[in-house]
Amino acid sequence: MRILAVETSCDDTAVALLDGCSAVAERVHNQSVHSQHGGVVPELASRSHLKILPGLVSEVLLSGGMNGLNEIDVFAATAGPGLTGSLLVGLAWSKAAAWAARKPFLAINHLAAHLFIHYCPERLVVFPAVALLVSGGHTSLFRMNSWQEILLLGSTRDDAAGEAFDKTAKLTGLGYPGGAALDIAADSGNPENCSLPSPMADPAQPEFSFSGLKTAAKLLWEKGAPRSDLAASFRKTVVDILVSKLMFQSRKLGAKSVLAAGGVTANSLLRKVLRQECASGNLELFLPDKEHSTDNALMVGRAAAAILERDPEASSPLSCNAFARWSGTSLSPIGCPPRQ
Ligand code: KG4
Ligand code: ZN
């Protein structure tokens, strides 16, 4: 089963060719145009997807040894949540390709796709599991009873952790998007030299709040706190909150596995602490490699593979639309919004 997966939910254009769950070829193009604006400019992102996507598909097909779109069995694309204009580019391209090649099209939920990077026959997740989804747009905890039953435990009430990383990085002159740069700056700082509050830190509370932390970092920066110490303290505070809540839920729900996904799982301290905590709690940890922590199309393809494994005839209607937000309590890889 050859799946051509497309991801254009924000500012990364990504294409992957899969054989079932396995990656055959993949490319990600990071749009650099936004850094000069200090944030993603939605119209520039859409225009850039429109320009980059066809060439990226050709590269992936060539590198995967395909002669053309007629050799693809299923087309999949992210339908949401994300920037509507960006989503529409990948969605419209995939629908048109599926229509032209007379093959099924599958609309995929971006949040579920982040978790489905771990859907892979080589390493099976043992359920129940608890999943932490931590990206630029979302911070949520889920209970996973199976790949079909993914239940929301709680989300951030304000900023996502990645957004807080990006805003603090921008504030301290580390550019945009600055999560990765702040992670590097933190390596040479001492977290004990800067005292930051830990908002909503009760491990038993599965919701998050990062906007106050970002404001506290701003106040310290304005008082002259050294960048590396502030970065180290900020990183440690966020990681402690994320991991303590994740571990609390894992113990409470008797989880056998812990899944982590989303751009912030590229963070070096988060990776280290997750590994330590899961090892001492005897929990199997599923952590994406750094390349597949941030947005990519392999995760979209794997979400499609999971849908097809249960229903080989599955397809989304070509009328399926893009959606900006997800607000359910049960997460499914199928990305068509309930009302068309
Ligand atoms: O999953 P993703 O690529 O896009 C969304 O779906 O939002 O996540 C992007 C986020 C950005 O906020 C970025 O700054 C953050 O992931 N990020 C990091 C690191 N690398 C990427 N945050 C902290 N430390 C990192 N090393
Ligand atoms: Zn994402």
Side-chain angles (χ1 to χ4, degrees):
M1 173 74 70
R2 290 176 187 137
I3 302 168
L4 190 70
V6 170
E7 155 62 42
T8 61
S9 66
C10 190
D11 59 339
D12 294 321
T13 318
V15 179
L17 172 68
L18 295 87
D19 187 0
C21 278
S22 310
V24 177
E26 57 177 320
R27 296 278 187 282
V28 179
H29 175 267
N30 306 113
Q31 300 176 1
S32 55
V33 60
H34 307 286
S35 59
Q36 60 190 284
H37 299 281
V40 178
V41 182
E43 185 182 337
L44 294 181
S46 312
R47 288 176 178 277
S48 182
H49 288 307
L50 206 53
K51 189 170 162 192
I52 298 297
L53 184 57
L56 221 56
V57 170
S58 300
E59 275 181 41
V60 166
L61 291 177
L62 191 67
S63 128
M66 299 287 108
N67 289 316
L69 292 177
N70 54 341
E71 294 191 36
I72 301 299
D73 298 311
V74 175
F75 293 82
T78 307
L83 298 173
T84 308
S86 288
L87 290 162
L88 286 172
V89 177
L91 200 56
W93 188 93
S94 291
K95 286 195 214 181
W99 180 81
R102 296 171 192 272
K103 296 288 170 55
F105 159 73
L106 281 173
I108 301 297
N109 179 303
H110 180 80
L111 303 185
H114 268 299
L115 301 183
F116 275 76
I117 193 68
H118 300 301
Y119 185 87
C120 150
E122 286 99 69
R123 206 176 151 222
L124 294 177
V125 173
V126 182
F127 296 102
V130 173
L132 171 70
L133 173 64
V134 62
S135 69
H138 298 86
T139 301
S140 302
L141 282 169
F142 294 93
R143 176 196 173 116
M144 295 179 70
N145 293 331
S146 67
W147 286 110
Q148 287 77 46
E149 202 182 350
I150 307 174
L151 307 171
L152 183 69
L153 294 168
S155 290
T156 180
R157 289 192 180 171
D158 41 56
D159 289 358
E163 187 182 356
F165 263 101
D166 289 338
K167 286 178 178 167
T168 306
K170 190 174 163 188
L171 166 81
T172 53
L174 291 166
Y176 182 89
L182 193 143
D183 190 13
I184 293 167
D187 285 341
S188 53
N190 180 354
E192 307 307 324
N193 289 346
C194 275
S195 174
L196 283 168
S198 290
M200 278 179 78
D202 177 6
Q205 159 68 277
E207 292 183 318
F208 304 85
S209 167
F210 293 110
S211 118
L213 177 61
K214 177 196 69 189
T215 309
K218 183 169 186 282
L219 292 175
L220 281 182
W221 176 250
E222 285 165 2
K223 281 187 193 153
R227 179 195 280 147
S228 56
D229 291 344
L230 185 57
S233 178
F234 181 86
R235 178 175 71 171
K236 183 174 183 310
T237 306
V238 175
V239 168
D240 284 350
I241 293 170
L242 293 173
V243 177
S244 63
K245 289 178 188 258
L246 174 63
M247 289 303 145
F248 181 93
Q249 292 300 327
S250 306
R251 281 190 293 274
K252 182 179 164 190
L253 301 172
K256 303 262 191 310
S257 317
V258 161
L259 279 74
V264 180
T265 57
N267 187 270
S268 55
L269 183 65
L270 179 59
R271 298 177 78 82
K272 188 175 148 194
V273 177
L274 278 175
R275 286 189 177 117
Q276 284 167 351
E277 290 290 314
C278 287
S280 64
N282 219 3
L283 286 157
E284 183 92 2
L285 174 65
F286 290 80
L287 189 61
D289 55 37
K290 288 193 180 185
E291 193 188 329
H292 294 105
S293 292
T294 47
D295 289 348
N296 63 87
L298 178 61
M299 66 187 199
V300 176
R302 286 196 172 157
I307 295 168
L308 292 165
E309 204 168 280
R310 281 183 66 78
D311 177 7
E313 304 296 314
S315 72
S316 302
L318 289 184
S319 58
C320 184
N321 220 328
F323 60 104
R325 271 175 289 279
W326 177 82
S327 59
T329 51
S330 167
L331 186 65
S332 156
I334 297 169
C336 239
R339 268 171 285 133
Q340 293 297 306

